[in-house]
Amino acid sequence: MSLPNAPPAVGREAIKEAVKEIVRDGDLAFTFEAQRVEVAKSGDYGYAEGAYTLTMIDAVSKKAAADHGTFLPVYRKQLNGGWRVLQDMRSSRLPNVPVIED
């Protein structure tokens, strides 16, 4: 998981921090619509593909910022019958913002 125009959050702790930052926003609005869902014949893996919209307050400008794009999570079936996200990809349709590093 990552914020728009931010590098990917890799690893459990980085993902937790990214999610915490997103849900702290009282104006957060997130919608998604799966357009295709498929499960492997084995029943062990599956994925969903679709579109999302995300509105939140930009940390720098303090103004509402909207993002939209596509998502593709890959799921693995657990021994208890539930599903767990194995990998997740989100691709923004917004133009890239150059990152200037110090």
Side-chain angles (χ1 to χ4, degrees), residues 4 17 40 70 91:
E17 288 305 313
T70 56
S91 178

Side-chain angles (χ1 to χ4, degrees), residues 53-80:
T53 60
L54 171 69
T55 304
M56 59 191 304
I57 301 301
D58 181 74
V60 176
S61 71
K62 305 298 183 202
K63 295 181 180 179
D67 182 21
H68 64 281
T70 56
F71 65 89
L72 181 72
V74 177
Y75 299 91
R76 180 170 40 197
K77 196 165 192 177
Q78 304 298 293
L79 293 176
N80 66 5

Side-chain angles (χ1 to χ4, degrees), residues 14-75:
I15 293 169
K16 281 182 176 181
E17 288 305 313
V19 170
K20 282 181 188 177
E21 186 174 336
I22 291 171
V23 298
R24 266 187 234 139
D25 185 341
D27 294 320
L28 174 69
F30 181 67
T31 61
F32 62 95
E33 180 180 344
Q35 295 158 339
R36 181 167 51 173
V37 175
E38 294 204 17
V39 175
K41 287 181 183 180
S42 67
D44 294 336
Y45 292 92
Y47 71 90
E49 176 184 7
Y52 73 88
T53 60
L54 171 69
T55 304
M56 59 191 304
I57 301 301
D58 181 74
V60 176
S61 71
K62 305 298 183 202
K63 295 181 180 179
D67 182 21
H68 64 281
T70 56
F71 65 89
L72 181 72
V74 177
Y75 299 91

